[in-house]
Amino acid sequence: MFNPIKRFVNNTLLRPLKDEPRPEPKPTPTPGASPSPRPDTFEPSKKSPTPSPSPGTPPPGYGTGTAPKGPAPLTPPSTDPSNPTPEMQVRPAKSDRYNDRPAGADIDTIVLHHTADGSDRNSLTTLTGDTDGQGVFKKGEQWLKDKKNGKVSAHYMIGKDGTIFQLVGDQKRAWHAGDGDLRGDGKDVNDRSIGIEIVNEGDGKDGYTEAQYKALEKLVPYLAKRYDVPSGNVVGHKETNPQKKDPSENFDFGRIIRATEKKIQ
C-alpha cells in the first residue's frame, strides 16, 4: 500500500525539485584597479578657456625656446635688457571690460588708483568680472555692482603682498579713469593711459604695505621707460577728475615719482 504512495511522492513532488537547475555561483571579484567612473551625462564637460591672444605684434624671438609656465602674458615682455618686465601674474579681464584704443593714440600717462577694497580676491573680481568658483551669491553681487556702477577694469593691480597682476594688455583701453582728462586738455584719459589699481580700503587708515611700494617702484618706472611717459604724467585718479579721491592721502606718491625719475633720466 505504501509503495504507490512513495512512488507518487518521489516522482511527482521531489523529482522536479531535484531536476531544477541550480543557480550558478557568482564569480568572486578579482582584486585590481577600480574601473574608471562613468562621467555624468547630465552635465557637459567644461571646455578649457582659450588664452587671450597677446595684442600687437610680438617682438622678434618672442615665444621661442622653453614655453613659460602658466598663461602667456597679455603684453609681450620687454626686449630691452636695461628695462626687463617685472615678474607678474596674468589674470585676464573678461573681454567686455576693455576695448581698442583710438587709432594713433599713444600711451603718455600712468594713473594710480586705490581699489576701495582691502581684499585682493574681491578687487580682482571687480576688475576682471571673473566670479568662477565663487558661488551664485557672489555672481549676483557682482552683477548688481556692475549694474549700479558700470563695468570697470585696469591694466594692473597690486596685491597686498606686492603681487603684480596684469589684467588688460597695455595696448588695449581699460576702463579705469571714467570721465577725466589730464590738466584740462579735454582728451579722454582712458584713451592714452595705463591704469594701476592698488588694493587698499582708501579710507586713509588702511596702510599701503611695503611690498606694494616695492612692486610699484618696479612697475611704474618700467612702464614709464617702455612707453616714454614723463614723470609729470604719473598721476593719481584725483588729478584727472576732481570728484575722485584716489589714491588716498596716506599714499606716499613722492616715493614712486622719485623711483620713476631715477629710471627714466
Side-chain angles (χ1 to χ4, degrees):
M1 175 178 179
F2 293 101
N3 287 335
I5 296 175
K6 185 176 180 180
R7 284 197 299 272
F8 173 82
V9 171
N10 286 336
N11 295 335
T12 307
L13 299 179
L14 297 181
R15 179 171 292 178
L17 295 178
K18 293 178 182 179
D19 295 340
E20 183 177 347
R22 297 179 181 179
E24 295 183 4
K26 294 183 179 180
T28 303
T30 303
S34 301
S36 301
R38 181 179 60 84
D40 292 333
T41 56
F42 55 85
E43 183 179 358
S45 58
K46 296 180 180 179
K47 295 181 179 180
S48 300
T50 302
S52 300
S54 298
T57 303
Y62 176 66
T64 61
T66 305
K69 295 181 179 179
L74 295 178
T75 300
S78 168
T79 57
D80 181 356
S82 68
N83 190 38
T85 301
E87 182 179 351
M88 60 185 68
Q89 291 188 24
V90 178
R91 285 298 210 40
K94 291 184 178 294
S95 59
D96 62 351
R97 290 176 184 269
Y98 59 86
N99 59 344
D100 292 328
R101 295 186 188 274
D106 292 325
I107 298 170
D108 66 1
T109 306
I110 298 172
V111 183
L112 304 187
H113 309 254
H114 62 237
T115 60
D117 193 316
S119 164
D120 284 17
R121 185 178 186 183
N122 289 345
S123 298
L124 279 171
T125 299
T126 298
L127 293 169
T128 65
D130 186 2
T131 57
D132 288 351
Q134 298 188 49
V136 176
F137 178 78
K138 190 63 178 180
K139 291 178 184 293
E141 182 183 63
Q142 185 61 39
W143 182 86
L144 290 173
K145 185 185 293 186
D146 291 343
K147 196 75 172 175
K148 179 181 178 181
N149 303 321
K151 295 178 180 179
V152 295
S153 61
H155 296 89
Y156 298 91
M157 190 192 87
I158 310 297
K160 280 287 190 180
D161 65 354
T163 300
I164 301 172
F165 296 93
Q166 187 181 78
L167 314 179
V168 175
D170 297 349
Q171 295 84 355
K172 296 296 182 179
R173 180 181 181 273
W175 305 342
H176 60 94
D179 295 329
D181 55 26
L182 187 62
R183 291 182 281 274
D185 64 4
K187 298 179 180 179
D188 188 320
V189 73
N190 279 336
D191 290 349
R192 60 199 288 187
S193 66
I194 287 178
I196 302 174
E197 292 273 1
I198 311 163
V199 176
N200 188 276
E201 293 285 357
D203 56 4
K205 300 176 182 179
D206 185 13
Y208 296 87
T209 67
E210 180 65 18
Q212 287 178 316
Y213 281 117
K214 287 182 177 179
L216 286 165
E217 286 175 318
K218 295 176 183 178
L219 179 61
V220 176
Y222 153 75
L223 292 170
K225 183 172 183 179
R226 181 165 185 174
Y227 298 108
D228 198 23
V229 176
S231 61
N233 282 13
V234 178
V235 298
H237 192 191
K238 55 190 173 186
E239 295 178 65
T240 69
N241 187 330
Q243 297 181 359
K244 301 299 180 180
K245 304 296 182 184
D246 53 320
S248 53
E249 294 295 336
N250 61 329
F251 178 70
D252 188 355
F253 217 111
R255 180 171 172 175
I256 309 307
I257 297 299
R258 290 191 294 271
T260 303
E261 290 176 342
K262 184 178 179 180
K263 180 82 171 185
I264 63 179
Q265 284 180 349

Short mmCIF file of all heavy atoms in Angstrom, two decimals, residues 203-255:
data_model
loop_
_atom_site.label_atom_id
_atom_site.label_comp_id
_atom_site.label_asym_id
_atom_site.label_seq_id
_atom_site.Cartn_x
_atom_site.Cartn_y
_atom_site.Cartn_z
N ASP A 203 40.42 104.58 2.88
CA ASP A 203 39.82 105.40 3.92
C ASP A 203 40.84 106.25 4.67
O ASP A 203 40.50 106.95 5.63
CB ASP A 203 39.05 104.52 4.92
CG ASP A 203 39.94 103.43 5.54
OD1 ASP A 203 41.16 103.40 5.25
OD2 ASP A 203 39.41 102.60 6.31
N GLY A 204 42.09 106.20 4.25
CA GLY A 204 43.14 106.94 4.93
C GLY A 204 43.69 106.24 6.15
O GLY A 204 44.68 106.70 6.73
N LYS A 205 43.07 105.14 6.56
CA LYS A 205 43.52 104.38 7.72
C LYS A 205 44.20 103.08 7.32
O LYS A 205 45.10 102.60 8.00
CB LYS A 205 42.33 104.07 8.63
CG LYS A 205 41.63 105.33 9.16
CD LYS A 205 40.40 104.95 10.00
CE LYS A 205 39.67 106.19 10.48
NZ LYS A 205 38.46 105.84 11.27
N ASP A 206 43.73 102.50 6.22
CA ASP A 206 44.33 101.26 5.72
C ASP A 206 45.68 101.60 5.11
O ASP A 206 45.77 102.34 4.12
CB ASP A 206 43.41 100.62 4.68
CG ASP A 206 43.90 99.27 4.21
OD1 ASP A 206 44.82 98.70 4.85
OD2 ASP A 206 43.37 98.76 3.19
N GLY A 207 46.75 101.09 5.69
CA GLY A 207 48.09 101.44 5.21
C GLY A 207 48.48 100.68 3.96
O GLY A 207 48.11 99.51 3.76
N TYR A 208 49.24 101.34 3.10
CA TYR A 208 49.82 100.68 1.93
C TYR A 208 51.06 99.92 2.40
O TYR A 208 51.89 100.46 3.14
CB TYR A 208 50.18 101.71 0.86
CG TYR A 208 48.97 102.44 0.32
CD1 TYR A 208 48.48 103.58 0.95
CD2 TYR A 208 48.30 101.98 -0.82
CE1 TYR A 208 47.36 104.25 0.47
CE2 TYR A 208 47.19 102.65 -1.31
CZ TYR A 208 46.72 103.78 -0.65
OH TYR A 208 45.61 104.43 -1.14
N THR A 209 51.18 98.68 2.01
CA THR A 209 52.25 97.83 2.53
C THR A 209 53.58 98.14 1.85
O THR A 209 53.63 98.66 0.72
CB THR A 209 51.92 96.34 2.33
OG1 THR A 209 51.92 96.05 0.91
CG2 THR A 209 50.55 96.01 2.91
N GLU A 210 54.65 97.80 2.56
CA GLU A 210 55.99 97.98 1.98
C GLU A 210 56.12 97.15 0.70
O GLU A 210 56.76 97.59 -0.27
CB GLU A 210 57.04 97.56 3.00
CG GLU A 210 58.48 97.69 2.52
CD GLU A 210 58.91 99.13 2.26
OE1 GLU A 210 58.24 100.06 2.75
OE2 GLU A 210 59.92 99.32 1.55
N ALA A 211 55.52 95.97 0.69
CA ALA A 211 55.58 95.13 -0.52
C ALA A 211 54.90 95.81 -1.70
O ALA A 211 55.35 95.70 -2.85
CB ALA A 211 54.93 93.78 -0.23
N GLN A 212 53.82 96.53 -1.44
CA GLN A 212 53.14 97.25 -2.52
C GLN A 212 54.00 98.39 -3.07
O GLN A 212 54.08 98.59 -4.29
CB GLN A 212 51.80 97.80 -2.03
CG GLN A 212 50.73 96.73 -1.84
CD GLN A 212 49.43 97.29 -1.31
OE1 GLN A 212 49.41 98.10 -0.39
NE2 GLN A 212 48.31 96.85 -1.88
N TYR A 213 54.64 99.12 -2.17
CA TYR A 213 55.53 100.20 -2.63
C TYR A 213 56.68 99.65 -3.48
O TYR A 213 57.02 100.22 -4.52
CB TYR A 213 56.09 100.97 -1.43
CG TYR A 213 55.15 101.98 -0.84
CD1 TYR A 213 54.69 101.86 0.46
CD2 TYR A 213 54.71 103.08 -1.59
CE1 TYR A 213 53.82 102.79 1.02
CE2 TYR A 213 53.84 104.03 -1.05
CZ TYR A 213 53.40 103.87 0.26
OH TYR A 213 52.53 104.80 0.79
N LYS A 214 57.27 98.54 -3.03
CA LYS A 214 58.38 97.97 -3.78
C LYS A 214 57.92 97.49 -5.16
O LYS A 214 58.66 97.63 -6.15
CB LYS A 214 59.00 96.82 -2.99
CG LYS A 214 59.81 97.28 -1.79
CD LYS A 214 60.46 96.11 -1.06
CE LYS A 214 61.33 96.60 0.10
NZ LYS A 214 61.97 95.48 0.84
N ALA A 215 56.71 96.93 -5.24
CA ALA A 215 56.18 96.50 -6.53
C ALA A 215 55.95 97.69 -7.44
O ALA A 215 56.27 97.65 -8.64
CB ALA A 215 54.88 95.73 -6.32
N LEU A 216 55.40 98.77 -6.89
CA LEU A 216 55.16 99.98 -7.68
C LEU A 216 56.47 100.62 -8.13
O LEU A 216 56.54 101.19 -9.23
CB LEU A 216 54.34 100.98 -6.87
CG LEU A 216 52.86 100.63 -6.70
CD1 LEU A 216 52.24 101.47 -5.59
CD2 LEU A 216 52.09 100.82 -8.00
N GLU A 217 57.51 100.52 -7.30
CA GLU A 217 58.81 101.07 -7.67
C GLU A 217 59.45 100.30 -8.82
O GLU A 217 60.37 100.79 -9.47
CB GLU A 217 59.74 101.08 -6.45
CG GLU A 217 59.39 102.16 -5.43
CD GLU A 217 60.24 102.09 -4.17
OE1 GLU A 217 60.49 100.96 -3.67
OE2 GLU A 217 60.67 103.15 -3.70
N LYS A 218 58.98 99.09 -9.05
CA LYS A 218 59.42 98.31 -10.22
C LYS A 218 58.53 98.58 -11.43
O LYS A 218 59.01 98.82 -12.54
CB LYS A 218 59.42 96.82 -9.90
CG LYS A 218 60.41 96.39 -8.84
CD LYS A 218 60.25 94.89 -8.55
CE LYS A 218 61.19 94.44 -7.44
NZ LYS A 218 61.01 92.99 -7.12
N LEU A 219 57.20 98.50 -11.20
CA LEU A 219 56.25 98.55 -12.31
C LEU A 219 56.16 99.93 -12.96
O LEU A 219 56.22 100.05 -14.20
CB LEU A 219 54.87 98.11 -11.83
CG LEU A 219 53.76 98.12 -12.87
CD1 LEU A 219 54.08 97.18 -14.03
CD2 LEU A 219 52.41 97.75 -12.24
N VAL A 220 56.00 100.96 -12.16
CA VAL A 220 55.78 102.30 -12.73
C VAL A 220 57.01 102.78 -13.52
O VAL A 220 56.86 103.22 -14.68
CB VAL A 220 55.37 103.31 -11.64
CG1 VAL A 220 55.25 104.72 -12.23
CG2 VAL A 220 54.04 102.90 -11.00
N PRO A 221 58.23 102.71 -12.98
CA PRO A 221 59.39 103.11 -13.79
C PRO A 221 59.56 102.27 -15.06
O PRO A 221 59.94 102.79 -16.11
CB PRO A 221 60.56 102.91 -12.82
CG PRO A 221 59.97 103.05 -11.46
CD PRO A 221 58.60 102.42 -11.59
N TYR A 222 59.27 100.98 -14.94
CA TYR A 222 59.36 100.11 -16.12
C TYR A 222 58.41 100.59 -17.22
O TYR A 222 58.79 100.72 -18.39
CB TYR A 222 59.03 98.68 -15.72
CG TYR A 222 58.46 97.81 -16.81
CD1 TYR A 222 59.26 97.31 -17.84
CD2 TYR A 222 57.09 97.51 -16.84
CE1 TYR A 222 58.71 96.52 -18.84
CE2 TYR A 222 56.55 96.72 -17.83
CZ TYR A 222 57.36 96.23 -18.84
OH TYR A 222 56.83 95.47 -19.84
N LEU A 223 57.15 100.86 -16.86
CA LEU A 223 56.18 101.32 -17.85
C LEU A 223 56.55 102.70 -18.39
O LEU A 223 56.40 102.97 -19.59
CB LEU A 223 54.78 101.36 -17.22
CG LEU A 223 54.16 100.01 -16.85
CD1 LEU A 223 52.89 100.20 -16.02
CD2 LEU A 223 53.84 99.20 -18.10
N ALA A 224 57.01 103.58 -17.50
CA ALA A 224 57.37 104.93 -17.93
C ALA A 224 58.50 104.90 -18.97
O ALA A 224 58.46 105.63 -19.97
CB ALA A 224 57.77 105.78 -16.73
N LYS A 225 59.49 104.05 -18.73
CA LYS A 225 60.60 103.96 -19.68
C LYS A 225 60.16 103.27 -20.96
O LYS A 225 60.53 103.69 -22.07
CB LYS A 225 61.77 103.22 -19.05
CG LYS A 225 62.99 103.16 -19.98
CD LYS A 225 64.22 102.60 -19.29
CE LYS A 225 65.42 102.63 -20.25
NZ LYS A 225 66.65 102.10 -19.60
N ARG A 226 59.37 102.23 -20.84
CA ARG A 226 58.97 101.48 -22.04
C ARG A 226 58.13 102.33 -22.98
O ARG A 226 58.28 102.24 -24.21
CB ARG A 226 58.19 100.23 -21.62
CG ARG A 226 57.75 99.38 -22.81
CD ARG A 226 57.30 98.00 -22.40
NE ARG A 226 57.01 97.19 -23.57
CZ ARG A 226 56.71 95.90 -23.55
NH1 ARG A 226 56.69 95.23 -22.41
NH2 ARG A 226 56.46 95.24 -24.67
N TYR A 227 57.26 103.18 -22.42
CA TYR A 227 56.35 103.97 -23.27
C TYR A 227 56.70 105.45 -23.29
O TYR A 227 55.92 106.26 -23.78
CB TYR A 227 54.91 103.76 -22.80
CG TYR A 227 54.48 102.30 -22.94
CD1 TYR A 227 54.31 101.50 -21.81
CD2 TYR A 227 54.29 101.72 -24.19
CE1 TYR A 227 53.95 100.16 -21.93
CE2 TYR A 227 53.94 100.38 -24.32
CZ TYR A 227 53.77 99.62 -23.19
OH TYR A 227 53.42 98.29 -23.32
N ASP A 228 57.88 105.78 -22.78
CA ASP A 228 58.37 107.16 -22.81
C ASP A 228 57.38 108.13 -22.15
O ASP A 228 57.03 109.17 -22.70
CB ASP A 228 58.64 107.58 -24.26
CG ASP A 228 59.54 108.81 -24.34
OD1 ASP A 228 60.28 109.07 -23.37
OD2 ASP A 228 59.48 109.52 -25.37
N VAL A 229 56.92 107.74 -20.95
CA VAL A 229 55.99 108.58 -20.19
C VAL A 229 56.79 109.48 -19.24
O VAL A 229 57.57 108.97 -18.42
CB VAL A 229 55.02 107.71 -19.36
CG1 VAL A 229 54.11 108.58 -18.50
CG2 VAL A 229 54.19 106.83 -20.28
N PRO A 230 56.66 110.79 -19.31
CA PRO A 230 57.38 111.67 -18.39
C PRO A 230 56.87 111.51 -16.96
O PRO A 230 55.70 111.18 -16.75
CB PRO A 230 57.09 113.07 -18.94
CG PRO A 230 55.82 112.93 -19.71
CD PRO A 230 55.82 111.54 -20.27
N SER A 231 57.75 111.74 -16.00
CA SER A 231 57.35 111.56 -14.60
C SER A 231 56.20 112.48 -14.22
O SER A 231 55.40 112.15 -13.34
CB SER A 231 58.54 111.80 -13.67
OG SER A 231 59.05 113.13 -13.81
N GLY A 232 56.08 113.62 -14.90
CA GLY A 232 54.97 114.54 -14.63
C GLY A 232 53.62 113.98 -15.04
O GLY A 232 52.57 114.50 -14.62
N ASN A 233 53.63 112.94 -15.85
CA ASN A 233 52.38 112.30 -16.28
C ASN A 233 52.08 111.03 -15.51
O ASN A 233 51.21 110.26 -15.90
CB ASN A 233 52.43 112.00 -17.78
CG ASN A 233 52.18 113.23 -18.63
OD1 ASN A 233 52.21 114.35 -18.13
ND2 ASN A 233 51.95 113.05 -19.92
N VAL A 234 52.81 110.80 -14.42
CA VAL A 234 52.46 109.74 -13.48
C VAL A 234 51.60 110.42 -12.42
O VAL A 234 52.09 111.21 -11.60
CB VAL A 234 53.70 109.09 -12.84
CG1 VAL A 234 53.28 108.03 -11.83
CG2 VAL A 234 54.59 108.48 -13.92
N VAL A 235 50.30 110.15 -12.46
CA VAL A 235 49.34 110.92 -11.66
C VAL A 235 48.38 110.01 -10.91
O VAL A 235 48.29 108.81 -11.18
CB VAL A 235 48.53 111.89 -12.56
CG1 VAL A 235 49.45 112.90 -13.25
CG2 VAL A 235 47.72 111.10 -13.60
N GLY A 236 47.67 110.61 -9.97
CA GLY A 236 46.60 109.91 -9.28
C GLY A 236 45.29 110.16 -10.00
O GLY A 236 45.14 111.11 -10.78
N HIS A 237 44.32 109.31 -9.73
CA HIS A 237 43.00 109.46 -10.34
C HIS A 237 42.41 110.83 -10.04
O HIS A 237 41.76 111.45 -10.88
CB HIS A 237 42.08 108.34 -9.83
CG HIS A 237 40.80 108.21 -10.58
ND1 HIS A 237 39.76 107.42 -10.15
CD2 HIS A 237 40.37 108.77 -11.76
CE1 HIS A 237 38.76 107.50 -11.01
NE2 HIS A 237 39.10 108.31 -11.98
N LYS A 238 42.65 111.34 -8.83
CA LYS A 238 42.09 112.63 -8.43
C LYS A 238 42.67 113.78 -9.24
O LYS A 238 42.07 114.86 -9.28
CB LYS A 238 42.32 112.85 -6.94
CG LYS A 238 43.76 112.75 -6.46
CD LYS A 238 43.82 112.75 -4.95
CE LYS A 238 45.23 112.48 -4.43
NZ LYS A 238 45.24 112.34 -2.96
N GLU A 239 43.79 113.57 -9.89
CA GLU A 239 44.37 114.61 -10.74
C GLU A 239 43.73 114.65 -12.12
O GLU A 239 43.94 115.61 -12.87
CB GLU A 239 45.88 114.42 -10.85
CG GLU A 239 46.63 114.60 -9.54
CD GLU A 239 48.11 114.36 -9.68
OE1 GLU A 239 48.78 115.13 -10.38
OE2 GLU A 239 48.61 113.37 -9.09
N THR A 240 42.99 113.63 -12.47
CA THR A 240 42.30 113.61 -13.75
C THR A 240 40.82 113.91 -13.61
O THR A 240 40.15 114.21 -14.59
CB THR A 240 42.46 112.24 -14.44
OG1 THR A 240 41.72 111.25 -13.71
CG2 THR A 240 43.92 111.84 -14.51
N ASN A 241 40.31 113.82 -12.37
CA ASN A 241 38.90 114.09 -12.11
C ASN A 241 38.78 114.62 -10.68
O ASN A 241 39.03 113.88 -9.73
CB ASN A 241 38.08 112.80 -12.28
CG ASN A 241 36.59 113.03 -12.19
OD1 ASN A 241 36.12 113.93 -11.51
ND2 ASN A 241 35.82 112.19 -12.87
N PRO A 242 38.39 115.87 -10.52
CA PRO A 242 38.34 116.46 -9.17
C PRO A 242 37.33 115.80 -8.23
O PRO A 242 37.40 116.01 -7.02
CB PRO A 242 37.95 117.92 -9.45
CG PRO A 242 37.31 117.91 -10.80
CD PRO A 242 37.99 116.82 -11.56
N GLN A 243 36.43 115.01 -8.76
CA GLN A 243 35.45 114.33 -7.92
C GLN A 243 36.02 113.05 -7.29
O GLN A 243 35.39 112.47 -6.41
CB GLN A 243 34.21 113.99 -8.74
CG GLN A 243 33.47 115.20 -9.27
CD GLN A 243 32.23 114.83 -10.06
OE1 GLN A 243 31.92 113.65 -10.23
NE2 GLN A 243 31.51 115.83 -10.55
N LYS A 244 37.20 112.65 -7.70
CA LYS A 244 37.81 111.42 -7.19
C LYS A 244 38.78 111.73 -6.06
O LYS A 244 39.31 112.83 -5.96
CB LYS A 244 38.51 110.66 -8.31
CG LYS A 244 37.59 110.27 -9.47
CD LYS A 244 36.47 109.36 -9.00
CE LYS A 244 35.55 108.96 -10.14
NZ LYS A 244 34.45 108.07 -9.69
N LYS A 245 39.04 110.73 -5.22
CA LYS A 245 39.89 110.92 -4.06
C LYS A 245 41.07 109.92 -4.02
O LYS A 245 41.80 109.87 -3.03
CB LYS A 245 39.08 110.72 -2.78
CG LYS A 245 37.85 111.64 -2.67
CD LYS A 245 38.24 113.10 -2.60
CE LYS A 245 37.01 114.00 -2.45
NZ LYS A 245 37.38 115.44 -2.47
N ASP A 246 41.25 109.17 -5.07
CA ASP A 246 42.29 108.14 -5.01
C ASP A 246 43.55 108.52 -5.81
O ASP A 246 43.44 109.24 -6.80
CB ASP A 246 41.74 106.79 -5.50
CG ASP A 246 41.07 106.86 -6.87
OD1 ASP A 246 40.35 107.83 -7.13
OD2 ASP A 246 41.25 105.92 -7.65
N PRO A 247 44.70 108.02 -5.34
CA PRO A 247 44.90 107.26 -4.12
C PRO A 247 44.70 108.13 -2.87
O PRO A 247 44.83 109.35 -2.93
CB PRO A 247 46.35 106.78 -4.20
CG PRO A 247 46.87 107.19 -5.51
CD PRO A 247 45.96 108.18 -6.08
N SER A 248 44.41 107.50 -1.76
CA SER A 248 44.10 108.23 -0.52
C SER A 248 45.32 109.01 -0.03
O SER A 248 46.46 108.78 -0.47
CB SER A 248 43.63 107.24 0.55
OG SER A 248 44.56 106.18 0.70
N GLU A 249 45.07 109.91 0.90
CA GLU A 249 46.10 110.85 1.35
C GLU A 249 47.29 110.17 2.03
O GLU A 249 48.38 110.74 2.08
CB GLU A 249 45.48 111.87 2.33
CG GLU A 249 44.45 112.79 1.68
CD GLU A 249 45.06 113.71 0.63
OE1 GLU A 249 46.28 113.97 0.71
OE2 GLU A 249 44.33 114.15 -0.28
N ASN A 250 47.10 108.97 2.56
CA ASN A 250 48.21 108.29 3.23
C ASN A 250 49.11 107.52 2.27
O ASN A 250 49.99 106.77 2.69
CB ASN A 250 47.70 107.35 4.33
CG ASN A 250 46.79 106.25 3.80
OD1 ASN A 250 46.08 106.45 2.82
ND2 ASN A 250 46.79 105.10 4.47
N PHE A 251 48.92 107.70 0.97
CA PHE A 251 49.78 107.06 -0.02
C PHE A 251 50.97 107.97 -0.30
O PHE A 251 50.81 109.17 -0.58
CB PHE A 251 49.01 106.80 -1.32
CG PHE A 251 49.85 106.20 -2.42
CD1 PHE A 251 50.31 104.89 -2.31
CD2 PHE A 251 50.18 106.94 -3.55
CE1 PHE A 251 51.09 104.34 -3.31
CE2 PHE A 251 50.94 106.38 -4.56
CZ PHE A 251 51.40 105.08 -4.44
N ASP A 252 52.19 107.41 -0.24
CA ASP A 252 53.42 108.17 -0.48
C ASP A 252 53.70 108.24 -1.98
O ASP A 252 54.45 107.43 -2.53
CB ASP A 252 54.58 107.51 0.26
CG ASP A 252 55.86 108.34 0.21
OD1 ASP A 252 55.87 109.39 -0.47
OD2 ASP A 252 56.85 107.93 0.87
N PHE A 253 53.10 109.24 -2.62
CA PHE A 253 53.24 109.37 -4.07
C PHE A 253 54.66 109.78 -4.45
O PHE A 253 55.21 109.34 -5.47
CB PHE A 253 52.26 110.42 -4.60
CG PHE A 253 51.67 110.08 -5.93
CD1 PHE A 253 50.34 109.74 -6.05
CD2 PHE A 253 52.44 110.07 -7.07
CE1 PHE A 253 49.78 109.41 -7.28
CE2 PHE A 253 51.91 109.75 -8.31
CZ PHE A 253 50.57 109.42 -8.41
N GLY A 254 55.29 110.59 -3.60
CA GLY A 254 56.64 111.05 -3.91
C GLY A 254 57.63 109.92 -4.06
O GLY A 254 58.57 110.00 -4.87
N ARG A 255 57.43 108.85 -3.31
CA ARG A 255 58.33 107.70 -3.39
C ARG A 255 58.30 107.08 -4.78
O ARG A 255 59.35 106.70 -5.32
CB ARG A 255 57.94 106.67 -2.32
CG ARG A 255 58.79 105.44 -2.29
CD ARG A 255 58.47 104.57 -1.07
NE ARG A 255 59.16 103.30 -1.15
CZ ARG A 255 59.15 102.37 -0.18
NH1 ARG A 255 58.47 102.59 0.93
NH2 ARG A 255 59.81 101.23 -0.33
#
